Amino acid sequence: MPNLRATRVASANIARAANDAACCQDYVVAGGTNAVTIKFATAHQGLTFLANRADQTVTIGSSTQSTRDLAVGDLNGDNRTDIVVLRSDGVVVVALAVPAPPMNGPYFGATATVTMAVAGYIPGASLDLGDMDADGDLDVFVTSTSSRILWRKNNGNGTFAAASHSNAGVTTQNLVMARVNAGNSADALVSGSDGRFAYLQSTGNGFAAAALHRMWGPGSTTTGMLITAGRICPGHPTSTAVAIALYDIVKVACSDGAGNFANVLEPHGEQDAVFNESVVDYLWDPTVGNVATQVIKDLAVWNPPNGADVAELYANYSGALGQMAEWKIPGTCGIGSSALPMARWGTAFDGMTVSREAVGDSDWGGISCAGPLGLLNAH
């Protein structure tokens, strides 16, 4: 999507019902301007293309403001996708979808602002949605510029209760909401600036005390560390694992499904022995070491909606190796050992190489399905 100066992209059904699985998803794009752009998609012979339909633009504030982060989801239970933006001034902007838009839109009406600052704590740079109280609607969460996460419960109609805050135990960088503890409530996972991430289990009306887990050694500076979550550990295929990224490195900490990340038994055996107190189970690095010129820009997990034992982890990064890396746990092909196969793009998008880089583990028996790993089309 050239010339959009996009720093945040999400996909969702905009022109269709939110739960419509028959076609394809549209793109919600934001970044260097004070607007969010919706680019509509259509299907043709099994592939997704941009539709011949005018983009819709949603203005989020004055020309001095831009987007720090965005999320999409149905906030008011009308089965239409709404947009939530964390603006550069720390204010959250909500754009509710039009209940019954005409054939070609517009799909969004007026916007509303939601103040997240509370008790002197100022919003940071990361936003996510999640159902923390298991009432069926999505609540809004942002990081702060300190050790707090800030949140407001959804009233069920896309408006929000008073802001509150919880202690993450680390200087917050990025957050993701996920069901970690095998319940119906969304828990918070927050990356810190000191090499650790925090797990905050939802109590339904807040969070329990943060449990901290180290991913980089003591004394590390991990400002800007990304975090995401999903079913990406083969030894625990139904449990939510955490993936974090900094510089050109991605690390994965597996979970046992009950909120435990430390000392989780994995098929490959030893955990990362290089970093003291680390809970790292898998490590991926497209080069060697911390390369500042090849930086991972975004990190995401795709969990198939059918609940199959296959998950994919994507990392978009800059540098000579290409634009996208992918891990995928094959669900039907054989693996020489019970370890996580890892894949990356070739330099000219002419295929991919498969490698394994779990520190301290030389028990990699090869992979018998390097061909059908299933990379999506090049972007």
Side-chain angles (χ1 to χ4, degrees):
M1 299 178 189
N3 303 321
L4 284 178
R5 299 171 61 193
T7 58
R8 294 290 184 270
V9 179
S11 63
N13 282 321
I14 302 297
R16 299 160 296 279
N19 62 356
D20 185 354
C23 175
C24 40
Q25 298 223 317
D26 307 306
Y27 303 101
V28 182
V29 183
T33 68
N34 63 326
V36 174
T37 300
I38 298 92
K39 305 188 77 65
F40 297 96
T42 188
H44 178 68
Q45 296 183 350
L47 300 176
T48 297
F49 296 90
L50 295 180
N52 185 19
R53 177 179 294 174
D55 300 343
Q56 182 175 349
T57 299
V58 178
T59 302
I60 61 168
S62 71
S63 59
T64 62
Q65 295 154 351
S66 59
T67 299
R68 289 181 181 173
D69 206 357
L70 69 82
V72 293
D74 182 3
L75 296 178
N76 55 359
D78 64 353
N79 199 22
R80 298 200 64 83
T81 300
D82 308 305
I83 298 174
V84 184
V85 175
L86 175 59
R87 218 163 55 186
S88 56
D89 60 357
V91 171
V92 165
V93 178
V94 174
L96 294 179
V98 176
M103 181 63 69
N104 290 313
Y107 295 94
F108 297 92
T111 61
T113 57
V114 181
T115 300
M116 299 300 299
V118 58
Y121 298 111
I122 307 301
S126 182
L127 170 146
D128 203 8
L129 302 173
D131 185 2
M132 73 174 297
D133 50 4
D135 64 354
D137 53 46
L138 296 171
D139 311 304
V140 62
F141 304 84
V142 300
T143 57
S144 73
T145 56
S146 61
S147 62
R148 300 280 165 162
I149 61 171
L150 316 178
W151 48 274
R152 294 182 70 154
K153 281 189 177 184
N154 191 340
N155 293 323
N157 58 1
T159 66
F160 297 89
S164 189
H165 58 91
S166 298
N167 186 6
V170 293
T171 300
T172 62
Q173 303 299 300
N174 289 280
L175 70 82
V176 62
M177 302 301 297
R179 294 179 180 178
V180 175
N181 199 43
N184 292 323
S185 300
D187 307 309
L189 296 159
V190 187
S191 64
S193 63
D194 62 354
R196 299 180 295 175
F197 76 86
Y199 162 55
L200 289 79
Q201 182 180 347
S202 173
T203 63
N205 194 38
F207 296 95
L212 304 180
H213 300 283
R214 182 164 294 284
M215 300 292 274
W216 257 268
S220 299
T221 299
T222 54
T223 301
M225 187 164 67
L226 302 173
I227 188 167
T228 190
R231 303 188 306 266
I232 50 179
C233 286
H236 303 274
T238 62
S239 301
T240 299
V242 168
I244 58 94
L246 185 72
Y247 298 108
D248 56 338
I249 299 175
V250 178
K251 299 182 180 183
V252 175
C254 299
S255 167
D256 65 353
N260 299 313
F261 293 93
N263 301 315
V264 175
L265 181 63
E266 266 297 290
H268 75 258
E270 297 296 325
Q271 292 180 323
D272 188 348
V274 172
F275 302 105
N276 185 32
E277 303 175 15
S278 172
V279 298
V280 173
D281 291 287
Y282 297 103
L283 176 68
W284 174 72
D285 184 347
T287 57
V288 178
N290 297 344
V291 181
T293 58
Q294 184 164 287
V295 179
I296 293 173
K297 299 293 188 180
D298 201 4
L299 194 66
V301 170
W302 178 72
N303 287 309
N306 61 5
D309 180 15
V310 179
E312 300 177 31
L313 173 61
Y314 295 93
N316 294 322
Y317 58 93
S318 60
L321 286 179
Q323 295 174 321
M324 179 180 287
E326 178 203 53
W327 294 351
K328 182 175 179 180
I329 305 171
T332 58
C333 56
I335 307 176
S337 70
S338 298
L340 179 67
M342 308 171 82
R344 67 169 172 82
W345 293 106
T347 56
F349 300 107
D350 54 357
M352 23 177 264
T353 60
V354 179
S355 62
R356 176 90 197 308
E357 294 184 19
V359 173
D361 179 13
S362 59
D363 188 27
W364 175 236
I367 176 171
S368 62
C369 54
L373 271 178
L375 278 175
L376 302 180
N377 57 306
H379 294 286

